[in-house]
């Protein structure tokens, strides 16, 4: 698809990566998006992903699909980290909420967690380990300007 109206930022070249989310008024996992303005908060988390500061685990900035080497894989729509069994990270100074954020954690050797801790509170997650990598989606919206997220067993 070619568009003369969309100009990609420096570093993206001609590669496009996008995620389209649609919801219904009765949907529990995806919100209703009735007009363009409703989609903006969801688009921003992929177009301008917030910075991540890991305190446990390593941020991976060279995963194939990470178009600008910031630790967010635009092609897969997820932050990429490396850890065997636990990740702890902070999203500092965000200016928009994160809807159902997704994480890919390389070299995971523990069971896939069914919950995560968001600012100390247990929150459900959907996860699976595929080829030694944990794929995890937080089932909810992360509000606030700073969020601490813990995935896996914390020691």
């Amino acid at each position: 698809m070619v568009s003369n109206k969309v100009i990609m930022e420096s570093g993206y070249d001609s590669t496009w990566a996008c995620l389209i989310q649609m919801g219904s008024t009765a949907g529990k996992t995806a919100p209703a998006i009735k007009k363009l303005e409703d989609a903006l908060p969801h688009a921003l988390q992929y177009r301008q992903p917030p910075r991540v500061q890991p305190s446990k685990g390593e941020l991976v900035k060279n995963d194939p699909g990470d178009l600008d080497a910031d630790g967010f894989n635009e092609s897969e729509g997820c932050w990429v980290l490396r850890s065997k069994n636990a990740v702890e990270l902070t999203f500092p100074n965000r200016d928009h909420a994160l809807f159902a954020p997704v994480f890919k954690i390389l070299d995971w050797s523990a069971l896939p967690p069914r919950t995560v801790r968001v600012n100390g509170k247990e929150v459900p997650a959907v996860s699976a380990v595929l080829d030694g990598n944990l794929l995890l989606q937080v089932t909810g919206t992360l509000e606030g300007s700073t969020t601490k997220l813990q995935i896996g067993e914390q020691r």
Side-chain angles (χ1 to χ4, degrees), residues 13 25-26 28 53 59 70 72-74 80-81 97 117 119-120 135 138 141-142 144 149 152 155:
D13 299 325
T25 56
K28 293 183 180 181
Q53 292 178 337
L59 188 63
D70 65 350
F72 183 82
N73 184 318
E74 288 83 6
V80 182
L81 298 109
R117 294 189 93 45
N119 295 328
L135 302 176
V138 178
T141 302
L142 305 184
L149 179 68
R155 296 175 194 227

Side-chain angles (χ1 to χ4, degrees), residues 7-121:
I7 306 298
M8 299 301 289
E9 294 172 9
S10 174
Y12 284 90
D13 299 325
S14 61
T15 304
W16 283 34
C18 65
L19 173 73
I20 299 173
Q21 295 179 330
M22 299 182 331
S24 67
T25 56
K28 293 183 180 181
T29 58
I33 298 176
K34 297 179 180 180
K35 54 188 176 196
L36 184 59
E37 294 80 23
D38 296 339
L40 185 59
H42 305 287
L44 283 175
Q45 83 182 48
Y46 295 95
R47 185 76 169 117
Q48 300 169 352
R51 190 170 39 97
V52 172
Q53 292 178 337
S55 54
K56 285 186 184 174
E58 170 194 355
L59 188 63
V60 176
K61 296 183 177 184
N62 62 350
D63 194 53
D66 183 345
L67 305 177
D68 56 0
D70 65 350
F72 183 82
N73 184 318
E74 288 83 6
S75 297
E76 296 178 352
C78 62
W79 284 269
V80 182
L81 298 109
R82 182 181 321 289
S83 177
K84 295 205 174 290
N85 61 6
V87 167
E88 186 173 300
L89 57 90
T90 303
F91 289 105
N93 306 317
R94 276 193 343 268
D95 58 354
H96 53 274
L98 294 178
F99 173 73
V102 178
F103 301 88
K104 179 169 72 172
I105 304 173
L106 307 178
D107 302 330
W108 191 261
S109 61
L111 292 173
R114 299 296 173 225
T115 62
V116 295
R117 294 189 93 45
V118 177
N119 295 328
K121 180 182 175 189

Side-chain angles (χ1 to χ4, degrees), residues 104-153:
K104 179 169 72 172
I105 304 173
L106 307 178
D107 302 330
W108 191 261
S109 61
L111 292 173
R114 299 296 173 225
T115 62
V116 295
R117 294 189 93 45
V118 177
N119 295 328
K121 180 182 175 189
E122 197 168 22
V123 173
V126 177
S127 63
V129 176
L130 300 170
D131 298 324
N133 300 322
L134 174 67
L135 302 176
L136 181 137
Q137 182 174 34
V138 178
T139 56
T141 302
L142 305 184
E143 302 283 354
S145 65
T146 299
T147 301
K148 181 179 178 180
L149 179 68
Q150 296 170 298
I151 301 171
E153 187 175 330

